[in-house]
Amino acid sequence: MIDPSTLASLASATVALLAPLVGKAFEKGAEEAAKGTAGLLVDRLKARLTGTPAKAALDDVAQQPADADTQAALRVQLKKAVEADPALADFLQKWLEDGHKQSAALGIQQTATVTGSNNKTVQISGSGNSVS
């Protein structure tokens, strides 16, 4: 079983990477993006989440990638999906590694604004990294 902190970090990192990838995909147009790197990464995640409530939440983020509410809903559904299928955590770790490599090539940068106290945030770039 994955500890709650790691689970939350994994879900947050996935959504943080996904939102700009989806945005990049839509900038290029749906047809062209589906063939491009960003589209392929998003499609890979969609395929893995098929049959779960997280897939519907992912579709919502695809429609509104900058909407904080849809992103929050996806984080919640990803955590539930990983709790139900622990192998999904390994898939997400690999997906994040691949996604960070591709997002760097697409010129996507990460930012985080954290307010309050006792908050945790994770941002990863490069290769061979893990969230723990």
Side-chain angles (χ1 to χ4, degrees):
M1 179 163 177
I2 298 174
D3 70 272
S5 177
T6 300
L7 184 57
S9 295
L10 184 60
S12 293
T14 300
V15 174
L17 177 62
L18 179 66
L21 282 176
V22 170
K24 268 297 190 201
F26 282 108
E27 281 177 14
K28 292 184 174 187
E31 188 175 311
E32 185 181 331
K35 297 182 223 170
T37 303
L40 293 174
L41 279 167
V42 173
D43 287 347
R44 208 169 97 205
L45 184 58
K46 282 183 180 182
R48 180 59 175 86
L49 296 176
T50 297
T52 70
K55 169 64 168 65
L58 175 58
D59 290 339
D60 290 342
V61 169
Q63 295 301 312
Q64 299 177 328
D67 182 41
D69 291 337
T70 60
Q71 291 178 15
L74 179 55
R75 281 191 297 274
V76 169
Q77 291 304 323
L78 283 172
K79 288 191 278 186
K80 289 180 179 181
V82 170
E83 287 172 343
D85 177 10
L88 178 58
D90 293 332
F91 171 85
L92 291 176
Q93 286 284 8
K94 175 69 173 134
W95 187 87
L96 283 167
E97 290 173 20
D98 294 345
H100 285 295
K101 291 174 191 171
Q102 298 303 322
S103 66
L106 293 170
I108 296 172
Q109 296 183 0
Q110 300 177 16
T111 60
T113 303
V114 180
T115 58
S117 58
N118 296 322
N119 293 312
K120 295 180 182 178
T121 187
V122 175
Q123 292 187 334
I124 300 175
S125 65
S127 61
N129 299 314
S130 65
V131 177
S132 58

